[in-house]
Structure formats: C-alpha cells, structure tokens
Amino acid sequence: MKKLSACIFLFIISFCFILTGCSGANIGMPENYLQVTSNGGFVVSVGNTLYFSNAYKSYSNLTEASDNDGDKVAQHSLKRVGVNSNDQKTLVENEEGKVEYANLVNKIAGYETSNIFVVGEYLYFTSPNIHKNDSKEAEDYNTYEFELSSLFKIKLDGSGLKEIYTTETSNAKFYLVGGEQKSILVFDDSKIMQLKCYENANSLTTLAEKVTSTIFPNNQGEELTNVYYTIAREEDDNFTGNIVKVLNVSTGEISDVSGYSKNGETITLISYDNNRLFYLRKGLPNQDDALYSNDFSNGYASEIRHKYTIDGFENGSDLLVVSNQEYDVNVFVFEYNNNIFMQDLSSTVDTTAVKLTTETSEIAFVSGTYVYYTTEAGIFRVSVLTKNTQQVSDKVANADAVDFDGRYVYFYASVDGSTSGSYYLHRADVEAANNNLVNVECISELLEEDIVEEE
C-alpha cells in the first residue's frame, strides 16, 4: 500500500512557519462566502476558503483564563486558509512557496465539544469557558469552569468578536437548522433554545423547558421541522416513567407524541438520523424492553421494533442510518461490544445483525454506502455492500474529533518530530482510498519548534 505521511507532505511543500496574527484583525471577506459546506465540527469550507481550528487542546489542560485568550492560545487558534479553485485540493501559497494562513481569532475551537458554523457573513463557534463560577452558594465558587462552553460569533473577516452564551452544563448540544431562516438550536440546563442567525440575533430565546433529554439530527444543517425530547412526569404515586414531546421548530408548538407516554414506561432517545428516531422502550408491563425506530410517516403505526438486545446503546451518534436508493440499501449501523454491526431497517429479528469489524472500533460517520470508523491503527471504512475494509488514514489521535466535508476526513494527530506535544489538524483524501491508497497531510500552521527541516 502506497502511503504519504504527514511528515513527507511537510517536506515536499515546506509550508509551515511560525505562527502570526492577532485577534480582531480585519483579514477581508472570503470570495463566494455564501457557498458553505461541512458546517459543524471543526472545519468549514466557505467558497475557496477553509476555516478551521488549527490544533486540538482538551479543556482539562487549561489552568488560567489566559490559556484561551490572546497570545497564549498560539497554535490552537481559529485560522483561515485558501484552497486553489482549479483543483479544490491544494492550499494557496505565496510567491515564496509557503501557505498563506490568516489568524481569525485567538480562541480554542478544537476541543471535546467543537462546533463551527458559518451563516451569511458570520462564523459561530464554541470554545472552553474562561469565566469563574460566580455563585457564592456553590462549592466551587470563584473557580474556573473550563468544562463549560461559550458560544461566540465573529465576522468572516475576523472583526466583531462577540460572546453570546455560556452553557450551564458540560454536555450541552448545538445544532444548525438549515433552510432559508437558519438558526442554531442549543440544548442546555433542561432547556431547548434558539439563536436566530437569520435575524443576526445576539441572544437565545427559549423554546422548551423541563427537558430531560433530546436528540438533534446527526447531519448538521438539515431543514429540521420537529425536535423530539423527553420530560419527567410530575410527582404522582399512580404514574411512573417519562413523557415524549415534539417541538415544531417553525411554529414553536409543543405537543405529546401519541403512543409514547404510557404509565410505567421510560423512553430513552438514542439517535435521529435520516428522518428516523431511534429509542429504547423500557419498563412497560407485560412487554419486553427493546430498540425501536419510527419515521412517523404514519404516526404510532409506523413504529418498527428492531432488537431485544439493547445493552450497550448510548445517547449519541453510535447508531446511524445508511440509506442509498441507487444500491437499494436501507440499514442501520451500531456499536456493540466494541465492534460495529449492521441490520436491515425492516428486520425485527436480533440475529439478522451482521458484524462489520473485528477489532475495537468507533463509528465516526457514514457516507454513501461506507461506514467510516476509528481504531488504534487509524481511520478505516467498510462497505455495507461488500463488507470490504479500506484504510483511510494510518494515524489518528482522537476518535471523538473526526470531521468530513465530502472529500476529506479531518482529524487531529501529532506531527513526526514534534517537540511541543501538539495535536495538529490533518486530513485524509477519500479519493485515494478509492484506489486503496492512504494519503494523509497536515494542513495546520506549526509552531517553529515543530517544523522539521527538509533534508
């Protein structure tokens, strides 16, 4: 297998140089900024320009507010780089043959819960919170809460940085609603809130309260109509379990989901993909616990029971749909006992699940008829048609930080010869994987100490 390592790539084009730039500098608007792909994650393509978090840093490594503000952010800042329009692949270089980076803002955006969205002239991103707890009643009063996230917006030219919201919990969720009137949904502190980007709003409005859990679609930017969520029952000796609600994003109307509020039953939301909600039904008298899904095309009647074996399912993106009309594929894939399985969406028998991997694997995303996943050896993909496996990358640092723009898989990894210990942004070309090759390159701007001189 022919491989092109990140280090060799650096030797060939010699583009990495010492970091420069400061927050708030006007670097000009990119061309064709209304052409946006790959919203969400930590890389967004805007016309012929990439906006990305240059390096990954866990919030657990922060000790002072200055670690996420100003010059100390260094290689972890938000950056911008041009992509040549002739091939939509190579990075733009100056007359000296070096890649031209622009620093958007000195804030960390590559961390445990990265979110970058571009809407119109603005880029919205989350960053580790640098505010201290100001509640005098709290045990951790006057201490930093880096595990929380702050939502910012900034113009694509690097001007007008504004902090919009800081979460109350560490497990907050963010989702960009597509369509003509784009907005960002936020689930935090038992509330579903909305930032109306189409109105250039600077504050959130509350859409639903007393929310115990909710599921946003796995693909950012969908024209979302409904958001499903659960609430706890009011204290009553005669009723147990929870209630499933549905929020109409456009109208703000909230209603019960018919058939999903039975006494004694607890619904656990698992995933929402391809307009299908997956959930566990547990605790209903005279009925076995099981995994179900529903696209609500026929209300409660369109529900499908998939599996009685439900241990191991968790709230999040470890269950995804692979649907392709061209190849008549309609399956869902999931993690079970550290491996990846697939099962036909119409199947109601546990034994029909097919094992796709044999090593410890974590699902990253699906595209076409492939399931992309990570292991200790790198990033791979497996075809749900042939069950054949191909390697996409021979290095990966963080299974939870993988992004995809339709051509490249983006992830953070160390650079050969690095002395700083930084995890820089890399990308792997899936077109190379089509030819059973591995083509990985580092696209970050490196610290001077991490640059390996060409031999």
Side-chain angles (χ1 to χ4, degrees):
M1 180 182 293
K2 181 180 178 182
K3 300 182 179 181
L4 178 62
S5 71
C7 185
I8 293 175
F9 175 82
L10 293 174
F11 288 164
I12 293 174
I13 69 170
S14 300
F15 69 82
C16 295
F17 56 96
I18 191 168
L19 305 175
T20 59
C22 59
S23 303
N26 191 314
I27 55 178
M29 293 291 291
E31 295 181 1
N32 304 319
Y33 63 82
L34 295 180
Q35 299 176 6
V36 181
T37 58
S38 187
N39 256 322
F42 44 85
V43 177
V44 179
S45 177
V46 183
N48 295 330
T49 306
L50 291 180
Y51 286 84
F52 59 94
S53 179
N54 194 67
Y56 182 94
K57 189 169 187 176
S58 169
Y59 63 73
S60 63
N61 293 327
L62 305 180
T63 58
E64 298 291 339
S66 59
D67 292 338
N68 190 19
D69 191 23
D71 294 340
K72 287 184 67 175
V73 176
Q75 73 273 31
H76 300 99
S77 61
L78 259 171
K79 293 192 178 292
R80 188 178 91 179
V81 66
V83 179
N84 286 306
S85 58
N86 58 336
D87 59 10
Q88 289 295 308
K89 177 181 178 181
T90 55
L91 306 184
V92 174
E93 299 178 353
N94 59 22
E95 295 179 353
E96 299 177 353
K98 295 184 180 295
V99 172
E100 293 189 325
Y101 293 94
N103 205 57
L104 188 71
V105 61
N106 283 333
K107 286 287 186 183
I108 296 169
Y111 68 116
E112 283 82 349
T113 53
S114 301
N115 296 277
I116 299 179
F117 311 104
V118 172
V119 180
E121 298 182 347
Y122 287 92
L123 182 145
Y124 300 82
F125 69 98
T126 56
S127 185
N129 163 58
I130 60 172
H131 305 299
K132 288 185 176 181
N133 188 323
D134 60 359
S135 176
K136 294 184 178 180
E137 292 77 21
E139 293 183 1
D140 54 355
Y141 168 66
N142 204 36
T143 60
Y144 288 111
E145 297 177 298
F146 298 119
E147 73 278 9
L148 305 181
S149 290
S150 294
L151 175 65
F152 293 87
K153 80 172 184 179
I154 188 171
K155 290 197 69 173
L156 294 172
D157 62 9
S159 65
L161 178 68
K162 184 175 184 61
E163 183 173 342
I164 294 175
Y165 177 76
T166 295
T167 66
E168 298 288 339
T169 65
S170 60
N171 59 348
K173 300 176 183 177
F174 297 81
Y175 181 77
L176 177 67
V177 178
E180 291 295 324
Q181 297 184 335
K182 291 182 172 60
S183 61
I184 296 174
L185 299 181
V186 181
F187 169 56
D188 179 48
D189 193 29
S190 302
K191 296 188 290 289
I192 298 175
M193 297 166 283
Q194 180 182 36
L195 178 67
K196 298 179 180 178
C197 303
Y198 62 93
E199 293 182 355
N200 197 23
N202 293 319
S203 60
L204 305 180
T205 56
T206 299
L207 301 179
E209 299 181 285
K210 297 182 179 181
V211 179
T212 55
S213 68
T214 189
I215 289 292
F216 294 141
N218 290 300
N219 294 320
Q220 295 279 353
E222 292 187 3
E223 293 191 38
L224 186 64
T225 301
N226 295 322
V227 173
Y228 296 91
Y229 67 94
T230 61
I231 64 171
R233 288 188 179 275
E234 298 294 336
E235 292 187 9
D236 192 316
D237 293 338
N238 297 320
F239 292 91
T240 59
N242 61 4
I243 299 173
V244 181
K245 297 273 191 178
V246 59
L247 163 69
N248 186 299
V249 178
S250 300
T251 65
E253 180 182 353
I254 296 174
S255 57
D256 289 352
V257 181
S258 177
Y260 293 91
S261 301
K262 298 178 180 179
N263 182 25
E265 182 178 36
T266 299
I267 303 291
T268 303
L269 305 180
I270 299 299
S271 181
Y272 188 39
D273 197 28
N274 202 45
N275 295 315
R276 180 175 289 272
L277 181 69
F278 290 83
Y279 46 91
L280 305 181
R281 304 191 73 158
K282 301 184 290 185
L284 192 64
N286 303 317
Q287 183 172 313
D288 292 328
D289 298 344
L291 171 72
Y292 292 81
S293 77
N294 199 336
D295 63 4
F296 297 99
S297 57
N298 194 24
Y300 181 69
S302 54
E303 179 184 69
I304 301 175
R305 182 192 64 78
H306 297 294
K307 296 182 70 64
Y308 284 128
T309 307
I310 61 175
D311 58 313
F313 287 104
E314 296 177 352
N315 185 4
S317 59
D318 56 354
L319 189 157
L320 299 174
V321 173
V322 182
S323 182
N324 189 293
Q325 293 183 352
E326 180 182 356
Y327 294 99
D328 194 26
V329 172
N330 205 25
V331 302
F332 67 97
V333 295
F334 58 94
E335 297 170 14
Y336 185 73
N337 287 340
N338 296 319
N339 295 133
I340 299 174
F341 292 77
M342 79 169 183
Q343 183 169 315
D344 194 278
L345 271 171
S346 62
S347 173
T348 61
V349 182
D350 286 11
T351 55
T352 61
V354 177
K355 194 174 184 179
L356 295 178
T357 64
T358 56
E359 64 282 329
T360 299
S361 313
E362 292 189 44
I363 297 174
F365 59 91
V366 300
S367 180
T369 58
Y370 286 101
V371 181
Y372 290 77
Y373 62 95
T374 62
T375 73
E376 291 183 351
I379 302 175
F380 296 80
R381 69 179 185 181
V382 57
S383 168
V384 298
L385 297 175
T386 65
K387 317 303 183 295
N388 292 334
T389 298
Q390 295 172 310
Q391 188 167 21
V392 178
S393 167
D394 53 4
K395 61 192 312 184
V396 67
N398 190 329
D400 295 325
V402 179
D403 207 348
F404 184 57
D405 68 359
R407 168 71 183 273
Y408 294 99
V409 181
Y410 295 90
F411 60 97
Y412 293 100
S414 60
V415 173
D416 295 339
S418 169
T419 60
S420 71
S422 300
Y423 290 103
Y424 290 105
L425 183 63
H426 289 65
R427 67 180 182 182
D429 191 351
V430 298
E431 288 194 2
N434 292 337
N435 297 314
N436 292 315
L437 302 176
V438 173
N439 187 347
V440 177
E441 56 187 6
C442 172
I443 64 170
S444 288
E445 186 174 16
L446 305 190
L447 287 171
E448 187 175 28
E449 63 190 272
D450 288 334
I451 298 175
V452 179
E453 296 295 333
E454 181 178 359
E455 295 181 358

